[in-house]
């Protein structure tokens, strides 16, 4: 029986016998071979489908650690700022641990599925008149001054949990990939994966390290542009962040691995979003499609030409059902017809 990432990778994590393990059986997500992307790029492309975690995103890997350690430290309340997924995960794990959760989200900029999760799990949900960065500044200050535990990825236990994604990919492939492609928002996940790969190499589990390829949305690309973006804009609301907390660590992952952090437009994101759904049968939220958009952009520039038979893993960070409105906006609404067989057949083309 799968018992979650802490039990599976206990020896690599800062837990002891005394740590109460709060888990909803996160992790163990599939690594799906993509024929369509392999054909386009001439490489072997795999999709790490993190949308299949219990709350529908990769955040659960970090949250099982952050909430378990909060319990060990006798915390009563946890707080986070979020573009949606962190708040969904924090509220679910806090519910399981019987902790109070407070989540601050940017008003009007969180996908419906994510907001519904935080509400049903019983968090105190506050919509802030501002963007993610404003909400993040507030929760940092509050957790500094009050006995409330911050569970954003500034909390080092979040990074510890999230690094297990790198372990799972390495275990599944029997080696590290040559390239890992992923979206970058607050930059915790790229930091976590890089830490995970390095630790697995040091433990003798893998011999090489991947080049880390991160992608931000063009209207929210502070790392690419080299300065804070005060009013970030993108349809990929999960990564609508202008001043990432782990900025420097993301740059370190990029530079140490010999990779890059680039930008993709909303159109490129939406094309990748549709391609994944229509060629691979994998439904992701727009931010997750930024990784595949980045892959396609680099493939077009022959970026992978030098590396023969490269193994590439794209991290698909969140499930498409998080943001159903985007799918319906992207594809035409279904036609309504009378309940008559001839009308159905006519629509099919008979
Ligand atoms: N993809 C999804 C679906 C996300 O929700 C996030 C971040 C990212 C990618 C980027 O990961 O921040 O570690 O670089 N979501 C955060 C949140 C900010 O509040 O849910 P990152």
């Amino acid at each position: 029986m799968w018992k979650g990432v802490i039990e599976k990778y206990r020896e690599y994590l800062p837990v002891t016998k005394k740590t109460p393990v709060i888990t909803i059986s996160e992790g163990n997500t599939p690594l799906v071979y993509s024929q369509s992307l392999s054909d386009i790029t001439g490489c072997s492309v795999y999709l790490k489908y993190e949308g299949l975690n219990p709350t529908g995103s990769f955040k659960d890997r970090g949250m099982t650690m952050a909430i378990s350690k909060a319990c060990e430290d006798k915390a009563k309340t946890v707080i986070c700022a979020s573009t949606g997924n962190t708040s969904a995960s924090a509220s679910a794990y806090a519910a399981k641990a019987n902790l109070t959760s407070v989540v601050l989200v940017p008003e009007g900029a969180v996908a419906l599925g994510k907001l519904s999760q935080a509400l049903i799990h019983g968090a105190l949900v506050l919509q802030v008149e501002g963007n993610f960065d404003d909400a993040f500044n507030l929760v940092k200050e509050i957790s500094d001054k009050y006995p409330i535990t911050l569970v954003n990825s500034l909390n080092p236990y979040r990074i510890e949990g999230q690094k297990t994604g790198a372990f799972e990919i390495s275990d599944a492939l029997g080696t590290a990939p040559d390239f890992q492609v992923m979206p970058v928002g607050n930059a915790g996940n790229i930091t976590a994966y890089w830490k995970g790969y390095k630790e697995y190499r040091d433990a003798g589990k893998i011999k090489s390290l991947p080049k880390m390829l991160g992608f931000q949305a063009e209207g929210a690309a502070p790392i690419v542009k080299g300065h804070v973006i005060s009013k970030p804009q993108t349809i990929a609301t999960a990564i609508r962040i202008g001043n990432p907390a782990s900025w420097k660590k993301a740059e370190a992952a990029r530079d140490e691995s010999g990779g890059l952090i680039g930008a993709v437009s909303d159109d490129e994101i939406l094309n990748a979003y549709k391609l994944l759904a229509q060629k691979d049968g994998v439904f992701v939220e727009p931010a997750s499609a930024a990784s595949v958009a980045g892959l396609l952009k680099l493939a077009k520039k022959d970026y992978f030409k030098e590396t023969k038979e490269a193994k590439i893993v794209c991290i698909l960070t969140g499930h498409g059902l998080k943001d159903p409105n985007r799918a319906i906006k992207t594809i035409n609404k279904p036609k309504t017809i009378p309940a008559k067989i001839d009308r159905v057949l006519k629509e099919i083309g008979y």
Side-chain angles (χ1 to χ4, degrees):
M1 194 178 144
W2 180 262
K3 290 185 179 152
V5 297
I6 296 181
E7 291 307 348
K8 173 71 179 176
Y9 295 110
R10 183 171 268 277
E11 62 194 291
Y12 300 98
L13 296 169
V15 287
T16 66
K17 284 200 186 94
K18 279 195 220 131
T19 313
V21 175
I22 309 298
T23 177
I24 319 178
S25 295
E26 60 294 316
N28 199 19
T29 55
L31 191 64
V32 185
Y33 181 73
S34 169
Q35 190 65 56
S36 65
L37 292 171
S38 299
D39 288 346
I40 294 172
T41 58
C43 303
S44 293
V45 180
Y46 298 84
L47 308 169
K48 181 68 169 161
Y49 196 9
E50 288 289 275
L52 296 191
N53 274 296
T55 77
S57 85
F58 70 97
K59 306 285 179 180
D60 296 343
R61 294 180 184 278
M63 210 52 77
T64 182
M65 273 299 302
I67 298 292
S68 297
K69 293 303 275 189
C71 287
E72 186 175 353
D73 297 339
K74 309 271 182 276
K76 295 275 173 281
T77 306
V78 296
I79 194 168
C80 66
S82 182
T83 56
N85 281 323
T86 300
S87 60
S89 185
S91 53
Y93 281 79
K96 179 124 192 197
N98 204 19
L99 301 179
T100 300
S101 57
V102 182
V103 311
L104 271 63
V105 295
E107 188 195 19
V110 171
L112 195 66
K114 306 175 188 182
L115 194 60
S116 71
Q117 288 177 288
L119 291 167
I120 198 69
H121 288 305
L124 170 62
V125 180
L126 299 171
Q127 305 202 71
V128 174
E129 293 172 345
N131 59 29
F132 169 84
D133 302 284
D134 300 318
F136 190 45
N137 287 334
L138 292 169
V139 298
K140 274 192 289 188
E141 193 174 336
I142 290 166
S143 58
D144 274 346
K145 292 191 181 149
Y146 295 86
I148 299 181
T149 303
L150 184 72
V151 293
N152 279 103
S153 57
L154 263 192
N155 178 326
Y157 299 124
R158 280 276 315 278
I159 303 294
E160 291 298 317
Q162 283 172 215
K163 76 186 180 189
T164 60
F167 300 165
E168 284 183 15
I169 290 169
S170 304
D171 289 345
L173 293 176
T175 172
D178 300 293
F179 299 93
Q180 176 168 305
V181 198
M182 63 197 303
V184 174
N186 216 19
N189 211 28
I190 190 168
T191 303
Y193 267 96
W194 184 234
K195 187 170 197 286
Y197 283 119
K198 285 193 295 185
E199 289 182 11
Y200 235 34
R201 181 205 47 194
D202 294 348
K205 292 278 200 176
I206 49 176
K207 293 196 178 62
S208 60
L209 295 171
K211 288 189 166 48
M212 303 294 284
L213 311 176
F215 284 91
Q216 302 193 296
E218 244 165 37
I223 300 178
V224 180
K225 302 219 162 112
H227 58 81
V228 170
I229 308 290
S230 58
K231 290 202 167 38
Q233 287 303 339
T234 168
I235 51 107
T237 52
I239 52 171
R240 190 164 171 244
I241 294 177
N243 189 12
S246 300
W247 187 322
K248 288 281 161 292
K249 287 181 180 156
E251 287 180 339
R254 174 195 68 192
D255 298 340
E256 288 171 32
S257 74
L260 58 82
I261 296 180
V264 283
S265 69
D266 281 0
D267 281 348
E268 289 169 322
I269 290 173
L270 288 175
N271 283 337
Y273 174 69
K274 280 192 274 187
L275 188 87
L276 279 168
Q278 298 183 352
K279 298 282 181 211
D280 285 284
V282 173
F283 187 23
V284 300
E285 63 170 289
S288 308
S291 60
V292 172
L295 170 80
L296 295 173
K297 197 165 188 168
L298 292 179
K300 224 181 230 169
K301 293 182 187 158
D302 277 340
Y303 180 86
F304 303 106
K305 217 166 92 187
E306 306 289 293
T307 324
K308 284 264 171 314
E309 288 158 30
K311 282 194 176 69
I312 305 178
V313 173
C314 295
I315 312 295
L316 304 183
T317 46
H319 203 288
L321 290 173
K322 292 271 190 176
D323 193 357
N325 293 338
R326 178 52 60 188
I328 292 167
K329 261 187 220 157
T330 305
I331 309 294
N332 293 336
K333 279 216 175 96
K335 229 185 214 177
T336 302
I337 56 156
K340 298 258 182 333
I341 194 155
D342 55 328
R343 278 306 308 275
V344 179
L345 290 171
K346 190 173 162 232
E347 291 299 332
I348 297 171
Y350 285 109

